[in-house]
């Protein structure tokens, strides 16, 4: 991956956009991901049940990574129950979870209600889409690991077109953080009742505008500008604190030795044209 170290959000996004195709190619050609893709393409067509998927470690990990669920790989028992859930029942496990990643996985994988049949795995078109999903998610995750704000923008780009209500946004940690920042809603609003949060956001933004690419780009620019501004303030504060600590540590016995500036003497110096 191309490093984003030291770059602010704006510059990081510019670099990511300029190198996206190259980085995607690097993922496909990387030894680990290339092997994972080959294993998926070779064996997923034989998978008909949730049990078969869970038992094949390589396929299971591939699917989890494709849905950005790498942090949940250890929970095999729960994942199995989710994939076997009957989504038509309100009390089904998949409907009771707040994390939208699980519902997305359940929907796309498309196992039968009993989890013992699947019509997607034998479809070449579906397999190709899954590989694209995997590669795209690996790319996005790599950027987010280096720069959290860049990762949030990339996630907004991917998900914004699928948003149907404010509830879709508020149940997604990264999307809600993006919209709060872009619309100037304080972080403390996340502690409000969800219905009150919806009303607050409705006053700030007409969700229908998300269908307009120009409006999405405007939100993105605002989010980036505010994020970089906040990072700049924090960086300045940290720099000031570092200077103060250095002054204290440098003093004999750890005492702070203030520097006195003679302002009248400075302002009396002759001016020079630069």
């Amino acid at each position: 991956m191309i490093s984003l170290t030291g770059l602010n959000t704006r510059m990081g996004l510019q670099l990511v956009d300029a190198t996206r195709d190259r980085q995607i190619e690097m993922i496909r050609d990387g030894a680990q991901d290339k092997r994972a893709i080959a294993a998926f393409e070779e064996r997923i067509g034989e998978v008909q049940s949730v049990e078969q998927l869970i038992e094949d470690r390589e396929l299971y990990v591939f699917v989890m990574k494709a849905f950005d669920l790498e942090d949940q790989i250890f929970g095999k028992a729960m994942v199995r129950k989710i994939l076997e859930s009957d989504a038509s029942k309100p009390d089904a496990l998949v409907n009771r979870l707040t994390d939208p990643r699980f519902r997305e996985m359940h929907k796309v994988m498309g196992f039968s209600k009993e989890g013992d049949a699947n019509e997607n795995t034998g479809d070449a078109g579906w397999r190709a889409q899954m590989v694209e999903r995997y590669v795209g998610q690996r790319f996005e995750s790599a950027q987010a690991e280096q720069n959290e704000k860049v990762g949030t923008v990339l996630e907004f780009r991917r998900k914004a077109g699928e948003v149907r209500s404010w509830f879709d946004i508020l149940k997604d940690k990264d999307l809600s953080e993006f919209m709060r920042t872009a619309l100037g809603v304080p972080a403390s609003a996340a502690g409000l009742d969800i219905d009150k949060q919806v009303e607050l956001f409705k006053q700030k933004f007409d969700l229908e505008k998300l269908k307009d690419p120009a409006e999405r780009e405007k939100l993105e620019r605002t989010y980036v500008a505010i994020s970089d501004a906040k990072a700049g303030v924090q960086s300045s504060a940290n720099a000031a604190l570092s200077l103060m600590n250095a002054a204290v540590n440098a003093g004999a016995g750890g005492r702070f030795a203030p520097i006195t500036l003679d302002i009248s003497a400075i302002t009396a110096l002759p001016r020079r044209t630069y």
Side-chain angles (χ1 to χ4, degrees), residues 179-253:
M179 294 301 287
R180 277 197 304 270
T181 301
L183 298 177
V185 176
S188 58
L192 297 174
D193 177 81
I194 192 167
D195 291 325
K196 292 183 178 179
Q197 291 187 58
V198 168
E199 289 304 314
L200 178 59
F201 277 108
K202 282 183 177 179
Q203 295 172 18
K204 292 280 188 177
F205 186 77
D206 180 1
L207 208 55
E208 284 294 310
K209 291 182 178 179
L210 275 186
K211 297 177 181 178
D212 184 351
E215 287 290 337
R216 295 199 297 270
E217 185 176 345
K218 182 179 178 181
L219 285 172
E220 180 181 315
R221 289 198 306 269
T222 304
Y223 174 84
V224 169
I226 294 175
S227 296
D228 283 346
K230 287 181 177 179
V233 170
Q234 292 169 356
S235 178
S236 297
N238 290 338
L241 183 60
S242 296
L243 289 172
M244 183 71 77
N245 288 334
V248 171
N249 293 331

Side-chain angles (χ1 to χ4, degrees), residues 60-258:
Y60 171 67
V61 170
F62 181 97
V63 169
M64 295 295 281
K65 287 182 176 181
F67 292 96
D68 192 25
L69 286 166
E70 190 169 1
D71 60 336
Q72 300 294 324
I73 285 177
F74 65 90
K76 282 188 174 183
M78 183 184 72
V79 172
R80 178 171 182 168
K81 290 181 179 179
I82 290 170
L83 291 176
E84 292 177 346
S85 291
D86 181 355
S88 65
K89 297 180 179 179
D91 61 344
L93 178 58
V94 69
N95 292 326
R96 290 188 279 115
L97 296 172
T98 57
D99 192 329
R101 295 177 298 173
F102 290 112
R103 285 193 291 275
E104 178 72 6
M105 178 177 65
H106 178 277
K107 177 182 176 182
V108 174
M109 291 304 297
F111 284 98
S112 65
K113 296 177 182 179
E114 294 76 22
D116 58 1
N118 193 306
E119 296 181 359
N120 289 334
T121 55
D123 185 333
W126 179 87
R127 293 197 298 269
Q129 290 176 4
M130 280 293 294
V131 170
E132 291 302 314
R133 177 184 288 270
Y134 173 88
V135 173
Q137 187 58 61
R138 294 294 284 165
F139 167 77
E140 189 176 303
S141 297
Q143 312 313 316
E145 287 175 4
Q146 298 185 77
N147 188 311
E148 183 180 358
K149 300 303 181 183
V150 168
T152 298
V153 172
L154 295 178
E155 186 168 352
F156 170 75
R157 290 177 178 178
R158 174 167 55 85
K159 295 180 177 179
E162 301 172 1
V163 170
R164 296 294 177 266
S165 72
W166 280 110
F167 293 102
D168 290 339
I169 291 175
L170 293 174
K171 68 188 179 185
D172 188 298
K173 180 177 69 70
D174 291 326
L175 276 185
S176 58
E177 190 272 331
F178 178 96
M179 294 301 287
R180 277 197 304 270
T181 301
L183 298 177
V185 176
S188 58
L192 297 174
D193 177 81
I194 192 167
D195 291 325
K196 292 183 178 179
Q197 291 187 58
V198 168
E199 289 304 314
L200 178 59
F201 277 108
K202 282 183 177 179
Q203 295 172 18
K204 292 280 188 177
F205 186 77
D206 180 1
L207 208 55
E208 284 294 310
K209 291 182 178 179
L210 275 186
K211 297 177 181 178
D212 184 351
E215 287 290 337
R216 295 199 297 270
E217 185 176 345
K218 182 179 178 181
L219 285 172
E220 180 181 315
R221 289 198 306 269
T222 304
Y223 174 84
V224 169
I226 294 175
S227 296
D228 283 346
K230 287 181 177 179
V233 170
Q234 292 169 356
S235 178
S236 297
N238 290 338
L241 183 60
S242 296
L243 289 172
M244 183 71 77
N245 288 334
V248 171
N249 293 331
R255 294 189 301 273
F256 173 55

